[in-house]
Amino acid sequence: MKDAALDGVDRITAKRLRVEYLTDPLGIDVVRPRLGWNPESGRRGAEQSAYRIVVAGSPEKLGLGEGDLWDSGKVDSGESQHIRYAGVGLTSGRQAYWKVMVWDEAGEPGTWSEAASWTMGLLGRDEWDGFWIGRKNDRKPTREKPNPVVYLRRSFRLRGGIRRATVYATALGVYRLYANGLAAGPQLFAPEWTDYHARVQYQTYDVTALLREGDNALAAELGHGWYTGYIGMFGYQKYGMDPAFLLQLNVEYEDGGVERISTDESWRVSWGPIVASDLQMGETYDARLELPRWKEADCSEDGAWSEPDRLFDYRGRIVAQMTPPIRATEERSAAGVRMLDEDRLIVDAGQNLTGWLRVSLRGKSGESYTLKYAEAIGGSGEIYTDNLRLASQTDVFILGEDGPKTFETTFTCHGFRYVEISGAGAGRLAPGDIFVIVVRSALEETGRLETSDPDLNRLLDNIRWTQRSNFMGVPTDCPQRDERHGWTGDAQIFARTAAYNMDVSAFFAKWLTDLTDAQQPTGAFTDFAPFIFGPKTEFDNDFTYTHIGSAGWADAPPMIGWLLYETYGDTDVLRRCYPAFRRWIDYNEQLYPSGIRRDAPQYGDWLSVDERPFEETKAEFDWLVSHHSTTPYDVFATAYWVHGTKLMERIALAIGENEDAERYRALHARAQEAFLREFVSSEGIVKGDTQTAYAMALGMELLPESMRRSAADRLAAKIEGAGGMATTGFHGTKYLLNALCDYGYEELAFRLVLRREYPSWLYSVLQGATTIWERWDGWTEERGFQNASMNSLCHYAFGSVGEWLYRHVGGIDAVSSSPGFRRVRIRPRPKGGLTSASCEYDSLHGCVRTEWTARDGRFELRLRIPAGVTAVVYVPCENGGQVKESGIPCGEELAMKESGDPCGEELAMKESGVLAKAREAIRALGREDDCVRFLVGSGEYFFESLYETMGGNNG
Ligand code: BGC
């Protein structure tokens, strides 16, 4: 458990230096970026008391300690995040190198951090010299045959003495860039998905090492992606007809000279081997059409290529990509290969995931191989593709010459576990010919939790894999069928779990931009973002207004903003989005002046389980319920309204909009009153009387104190009445377990989590699921697969249980009054028969770690708290029992000894900065329920107590 990296390190040092949450980013366009770091020290009670930041224009200057861009001087402050750069104004392309020195709580200076850096992007539109190029194609793409990829290249000479070469590039579509034959960066599907009506992102590449004196070449493949490809359920070309490419290369010479190359008529364009390409449909690669050496300077063929078409100027905003890019994060061997016959086999990736296969194929020129991707195997032993709906997820590789050749796709992505490969002799492919490529937005994985229950561990893994598979530039609902949208409801439900698993700071901040870009002139947020405007679809479904403003979905933006505030203490994002949030509230206030949000159910508590025969529910609530959601829609929607007004009050307060906060407080009071009047009987029965109705009423704080206990009792009774099962849909599930735990039904919550019969989380695990299913009954013994029209096996909403597991089993939680995990609550619960767990969370302020065991009446907890963070630790302990820390008795005894000490005044103690010496880093705070509480500063701790795991709070 001892952290080797910290051993012997007593002097406090800044680690994990980041700029706008990114490590050494290239090409940012925030002119006064926020810097952050984690002070680290192995000592207990260590915290930063001051810092000094030095930012220099070159590594040499930084080495000499010359802050020619900025020297903050010594600043007395414990803050180590969101420190705004306040130096010389940064212009386009500027390089900045920086380091930090921090002082500890005793005023002792630490050592300088390692150097970090960032560069600025192109800050003005006029710095793009060129124009958008591509190749027009009149052909209408079809599902069977998407349109081909465009190949672009440009050769040029450079003189000697290149100091630095930077490419800025973007596309309406997707592109891959090469410099002298080599990939310019790891990016896949750049520039990723944004609301192209409003903005497109550009990427910055440092190509200094790839270019040379003499002949050089830049080359790009230009595909369709979301811009011209098939998106959602809507078909092709929802933003434009042809993909377009824009590039700017800036070369700086040692002698101060500069040279600029950009996309213009001097480029060359051609069609090539990718003859059909689409994100959802797949790709066809005909190796006979390969363009030899097309990425190289000495390509002799480009004489036959044409001049590119000059395409329309783009009138949206061109902004820097400031999120970790989509890229291949893992390469795995196939877990199994099953030959169906001579010419057909099925590859098992061993895991449902997003990506593709890389395969070495043998055969004769012109022979083709077809790869069909699927999530499951059907009853017949063949791949099961019905649930893909219209997304064909099929790739075709055609050999160009006899002999083996390695193929992989470029601009398509598949949600799959199994792949059927067919083609002459395909059945004889050896496992060594096949690799599985995992692709995702490469967010840093920040959470790890492992317990004594292997099935629960698999569930945790399934949640992680579902997130990996769906965080693809935007948080999508599913990666496989013709949908793959940034559905807002799913994302807000899962967001907190997502934030434990991965660093979502930059990712969700970018998506909030998509959400606000999608906001309608009325103020309505949309149900997914980026949103697709346009005429009726082939489903005769006018998405442009029916999928707008839905309760639980369109309510997401302020919820995501709040998540970023709570998890990362980010007020910038809140401030930026606040006007949009305000318009959303105004819109609803105007639409529903009575406070009751009543309209036809769009989705409601999506995919709930019937608690009684649906006909009965329907007879009682008529149009307010549907097969997919049995909690009446007016209750559901108004609940979100009450919750949303409260949230707005909190947001306004967090950013100092105090007058608004007053207004929202009053609005919330009215909304809550309306909810109670309309939907809650004097006996505390909530209209609909479903588990979800109570879970939401409790979790969203809709009920007065006096009614909460009975609501919790009713919720528990309903669960027990249903045979100990949850019937909640997406939304109820998010609140269910916390609602139970908050009111003494902890054992029941653990029983639900560890339940193995349908419906339950572990039911899918026992059926072999490797990702979270969209529905509780995605597959059952009695029926097999659910209706294929909506049965994704990789949907994260029900994975929202992850946050509860991190909190209650891992025991790591934020103290909500202290955003950014500056103060944490450590409260692991050894319940449900679990005998151990270990958990780590790399919070904004550093890594928090717990490791506990509960056996033979003894409870042990090893804990690590990062420098500058305080934790309130709840150690389960028998009544009258004693807690030891590192072998020394403390706990109640210490609490008594210290009575009169300001142990209740936790915050005062923190602020006074007295957490210096080892013993002083722990204060006992007395008992609460079955725990003794301690306040601790940073460092490592080992608590022991006597605790019978079946004792304590039984609910
Ligand atoms: C998606 C959902 C989404 C929903 C709206 C579905 O097709 O997959 O997860 O939230 O539509 O009800």
Side-chain angles (χ1 to χ4, degrees):
M1 175 74 183
K2 257 227 162 306
D3 193 328
L6 291 177
D7 265 351
V9 180
D10 260 12
R11 292 181 73 189
I12 196 162
T13 312
K15 297 269 173 70
R16 202 184 181 210
L17 273 60
R18 298 190 305 166
V19 180
E20 293 291 335
Y21 306 114
L22 303 169
T23 305
D24 296 338
L26 293 181
I28 65 169
D29 60 2
V30 175
V31 287
R32 280 158 42 79
R34 293 167 301 167
L35 313 181
W37 59 86
N38 292 155
E40 278 193 13
S41 161
R43 239 176 334 97
R44 281 192 178 177
E47 55 181 329
Q48 170 192 308
S49 62
Y51 65 80
R52 178 179 163 205
I53 302 169
V54 172
V55 188
S58 71
E60 295 73 31
K61 286 213 166 96
L62 188 73
L64 295 171
E66 268 178 51
D68 58 331
L69 294 181
W70 187 40
D71 187 336
S72 71
K74 184 178 172 191
V75 179
D76 291 333
S77 166
E79 293 305 324
S80 57
Q81 296 293 337
H82 308 128
I83 312 295
R84 202 172 290 287
Y85 169 82
V88 171
L90 296 172
T91 48
S92 291
R94 194 80 202 243
Q95 291 167 291
Y97 299 86
W98 65 294
K99 61 183 179 181
V100 191
M101 153 95 86
V102 290
W103 283 257
D104 68 14
E105 69 290 345
E108 289 298 319
T111 48
W112 280 103
S113 70
E114 306 259 305
S117 67
W118 81 88
T119 70
M120 301 303 292
L122 291 185
L123 303 178
R125 184 66 164 257
D126 51 359
E127 293 179 69
W128 296 86
D129 294 342
F131 47 81
W132 295 84
I133 59 172
R135 184 173 234 193
K136 285 196 182 138
N137 187 354
D138 291 337
R139 182 178 174 272
K140 195 83 194 123
T142 60
R143 275 189 59 237
E144 294 66 33
K145 191 158 189 320
N147 271 345
V149 160
V150 177
Y151 292 74
L152 292 156
R153 62 170 268 113
R154 158 88 150 89
S155 51
F156 51 93
R157 286 187 70 77
L158 293 177
R159 60 187 173 87
I162 299 168
R163 188 184 82 75
R164 179 182 176 215
T166 313
V167 171
Y168 307 91
T170 185
L172 297 168
V174 281
Y175 75 93
R176 286 215 206 163
L177 178 71
Y178 307 89
N180 289 329
L182 297 173
Q187 286 86 345
L188 302 174
F189 304 105
E192 303 189 4
W193 197 2
T194 49
D195 184 338
Y196 299 122
H197 299 294
R199 74 190 71 227
V200 67
Q201 307 182 125
Y202 65 87
Q203 290 68 40
T204 302
Y205 306 86
D206 182 347
V207 292
T208 317
L210 301 181
L211 300 187
R212 60 202 169 211
E213 177 178 357
D215 291 327
N216 290 279
L218 288 174
E221 287 151 329
L222 176 61
H224 303 279
W226 299 271
Y227 189 77
T228 41
Y230 198 102
I231 40 175
M233 306 162 256
F234 310 104
Y236 285 103
Q237 297 175 318
K238 293 300 163 195
Y239 294 100
M241 303 306 280
D242 295 295
F245 183 60
L246 183 71
L247 173 143
Q248 174 77 36
L249 163 65
N250 290 352
V251 182
E252 299 160 44
Y253 290 95
E254 300 291 357
D255 62 11
V258 279
E259 205 163 335
R260 293 156 79 101
I261 282 170
S262 44
T263 38
D264 56 21
E265 62 286 333
S266 63
W267 285 61
R268 286 289 165 268
V269 66
S270 173
W271 305 119
I274 306 181
V275 294
S277 175
D278 180 69
L279 274 173
Q280 294 192 9
M281 301 308 156
E283 217 162 73
T284 300
Y285 186 97
D286 188 341
R288 293 170 301 184
L289 304 176
E290 276 178 359
L291 307 160
R293 301 192 65 73
W294 75 279
K295 299 173 198 158
E296 309 286 346
D298 64 354
C299 167
S300 54
E301 319 250 318
D302 76 348
W305 291 34
S306 331
E307 194 174 301
D309 290 314
R310 179 175 183 150
L311 298 171
F312 294 115
D313 268 341
Y314 175 65
R315 299 279 154 74
R317 296 183 59 204
I318 305 179
V319 300
Q321 175 172 356
M322 288 184 49
T323 50
I326 299 175
R327 60 183 179 82
T329 52
E330 195 186 331
E331 208 178 292
R332 310 158 60 97
S333 308
V337 169
R338 179 162 54 93
M339 199 168 153
L340 293 177
D341 57 49
E342 180 89 342
D343 299 327
R344 227 157 44 98
L345 57 72
I346 292 180
V347 177
D348 177 2
Q351 170 64 52
N352 203 23
L353 53 84
T354 299
W356 53 76
L357 293 190
R358 178 191 297 147
V359 284
S360 289
L361 300 172
R362 285 174 203 81
K364 296 204 172 356
S365 172
E367 279 178 359
S368 73
Y369 291 84
T370 302
L371 280 67
K372 279 175 183 277
Y373 291 77
E375 288 192 289
I377 298 291
S380 60
E382 301 278 338
I383 54 168
Y384 175 77
T385 56
D386 297 359
N387 67 337
L388 303 179
R389 302 196 310 217
L390 297 179
S392 33
Q393 292 210 134
T394 300
D395 300 331
V396 177
F397 296 131
I398 304 168
L399 284 160
E401 48 190 52
D402 299 355
K405 179 173 169 68
T406 303
F407 289 90
E408 70 183 291
T409 49
T410 303
F411 295 130
T412 190
C413 215
H414 311 304
F416 73 101
R417 172 171 173 174
Y418 300 97
V419 189
E420 180 203 274
I421 306 184
S422 58
R428 290 192 300 273
L429 274 173
D433 295 328
I434 301 162
F435 282 99
V436 180
I437 312 295
V438 179
V439 174
R440 65 183 178 92
S441 281
L443 311 187
E444 183 188 332
E445 303 217 352
T446 48
R448 292 157 286 277
L449 171 58
E450 209 176 316
T451 73
S452 52
D453 185 323
D455 293 335
L456 197 56
N457 294 343
R458 183 66 238 188
L459 173 70
L460 284 156
D461 247 4
N462 291 2
I463 296 171
R464 257 188 293 273
W465 271 107
T466 309
Q467 183 171 355
R468 289 182 191 128
S469 307
N470 280 297
F471 274 38
M472 201 65 71
V474 304
T476 64
D477 59 332
C478 56
Q480 73 299 84
R481 69 178 177 221
D482 56 338
E483 193 138 4
R484 312 180 188 194
H485 272 310
W487 281 102
T488 46
D490 306 43
Q492 63 90 352
I493 288 164
F494 184 65
R496 197 162 286 278
T497 298
Y500 271 111
N501 282 335
M502 295 183 198
D503 179 354
V504 296
S505 51
F507 181 84
F508 272 144
K510 178 264 175 189
W511 191 52
L512 257 177
T513 302
D514 298 331
L515 290 163
T516 48
D517 280 346
Q519 190 174 28
Q520 301 295 289
T522 53
F525 282 123
T526 56
D527 301 351
F528 52 87
F531 194 62
I532 320 299
F533 298 88
K536 284 178 192 282
T537 69
E538 45 224 68
F539 294 89
D540 201 25
N541 184 349
D542 194 343
F543 267 75
T544 58
Y545 79 92
T546 54
H547 288 257
I548 281 174
S550 299
W553 271 255
D555 293 291
M559 298 174 87
I560 297 290
W562 189 247
L563 172 95
L564 291 176
Y565 174 69
E566 285 199 314
T567 314
Y568 307 107
D570 198 323
T571 45
D572 272 28
V573 175
L574 284 184
R575 272 200 198 93
R576 172 161 61 78
C577 300
Y578 186 69
F581 296 166
R582 213 166 30 192
R583 285 201 296 280
W584 163 245
I585 295 287
D586 291 350
Y587 160 79
N588 280 293
E589 201 182 348
Q590 204 180 40
L591 215 56
Y592 311 106
S594 70
I596 300 298
R597 205 170 167 191
R598 192 193 321 264
D599 54 17
Q602 194 66 276
Y603 335 102
D605 183 34
W606 199 237
L607 304 181
S608 57
V609 174
D610 287 338
E611 288 180 29
R612 55 179 170 153
F614 179 70
E615 295 63 43
E616 282 178 26
T617 312
K618 185 80 188 154
E620 192 174 346
F621 300 110
D622 197 13
W623 56 275
L624 289 169
V625 291
S626 78
H627 265 297
H628 290 134
S629 170
T630 50
T631 298
Y633 192 69
D634 48 359
V635 177
F636 173 87
T638 306
Y640 265 100
W641 174 236
V642 180
H643 175 262
T645 49
K646 185 76 198 162
L647 189 60
M648 270 308 271
E649 182 195 332
R650 291 187 177 135
I651 291 175
L653 284 174
I655 58 171
E657 295 284 350
N658 298 342
E659 263 175 46
D660 280 6
E662 272 307 312
R663 186 166 92 71
Y664 293 127
R665 182 172 308 138
L667 190 59
H668 171 257
R670 285 204 303 282
Q672 186 173 27
E673 207 181 280
F675 182 88
L676 293 173
R677 195 180 51 239
E678 193 86 2
F679 303 128
V680 186
S681 76
S682 49
E683 293 79 47
I685 305 296
V686 181
K687 179 177 169 185
D689 200 25
T690 57
Q691 291 182 18
T692 286
Y694 297 102
M696 285 177 64
L698 290 166
M700 293 177 145
E701 303 168 286
L702 309 179
L703 302 175
E705 184 76 53
S706 60
M707 284 183 158
R708 292 183 197 159
R709 159 78 37 201
S710 68
D713 292 346
R714 184 142 186 104
L715 171 61
K718 290 187 78 65
I719 296 168
E720 297 288 15
M725 90 183 189
T727 59
T728 45
F730 282 13
H731 298 262
T733 300
K734 179 181 163 66
Y735 295 103
L736 183 67
L737 300 180
N738 278 335
L740 291 172
C741 289
D742 287 350
Y743 295 93
Y745 290 100
E746 189 180 45
E747 294 285 355
L748 177 56
F750 271 91
R751 245 194 294 142
L752 287 177
V753 169
L754 295 169
R755 176 186 161 97
R756 281 156 164 84
E757 301 80 37
Y758 167 81
S760 70
W761 287 280
L762 294 186
Y763 177 76
S764 68
V765 167
L766 295 181
Q767 308 317 310
T770 59
T771 39
I772 301 294
W773 294 348
E774 178 171 23
R775 331 174 57 123
W776 293 117
D777 58 354
W779 187 92
T780 60
E781 282 117 305
E782 301 79 55
R783 189 185 33 205
F785 289 111
Q786 242 293 358
N787 188 330
S789 67
M790 210 178 63
N791 192 26
S792 151
L793 303 181
C794 189
H795 238 70
Y796 47 57
F798 285 125
S800 66
V801 67
E803 64 172 280
W804 185 89
L805 290 168
Y806 274 105
R807 277 194 193 122
H808 292 262
V809 180
I812 300 175
D813 197 1
V815 172
S816 57
S817 58
S818 175
F821 279 80
R822 195 64 198 268
R823 292 194 190 99
V824 293
R825 193 169 84 135
I826 303 296
R827 194 169 179 274
R829 305 296 296 154
K831 297 282 173 176
L834 297 177
T835 54
S836 68
S838 57
C839 185
E840 270 187 348
Y841 172 58
D842 299 323
S843 77
L844 182 74
H845 285 99
C847 181
V848 181
R849 188 190 300 150
T850 60
E851 194 178 317
W852 61 261
T853 56
R855 284 187 199 108
D856 309 324
R858 294 176 56 76
F859 179 82
E860 295 184 359
L861 169 66
R862 289 163 203 275
L863 175 67
R864 179 194 188 266
I865 301 295
V869 173
T870 42
V872 181
V873 187
Y874 293 69
V875 181
C877 177
E878 274 170 13
N879 248 329
Q882 192 177 57
V883 176
K884 286 186 188 164
E885 193 286 312
S886 296
I888 303 171
C890 52
E892 282 173 301
E893 195 189 58
L894 182 64
M896 271 155 54
K897 242 196 267 164
E898 296 200 348
S899 58
D901 197 77
C903 40
E905 295 165 25
E906 304 161 15
L907 312 186
M909 180 187 146
K910 170 73 180 66
E911 260 93 65
S912 70
V914 294
L915 297 175
K917 291 182 230 106
R919 296 310 311 168
E920 284 176 7
I922 310 178
R923 294 290 165 99
L925 301 174
R927 261 198 108 78
E928 190 179 304
D929 300 331
D930 60 350
C931 294
V932 180
R933 296 191 315 144
F934 298 90
L935 178 69
V936 307
S938 73
E940 296 190 0
Y941 301 88
F942 175 39
F943 292 98
E944 297 165 89
S945 65
L946 294 179
Y947 186 72
E948 211 37 78
T949 50
M950 294 317 286
N953 183 353
N954 275 312

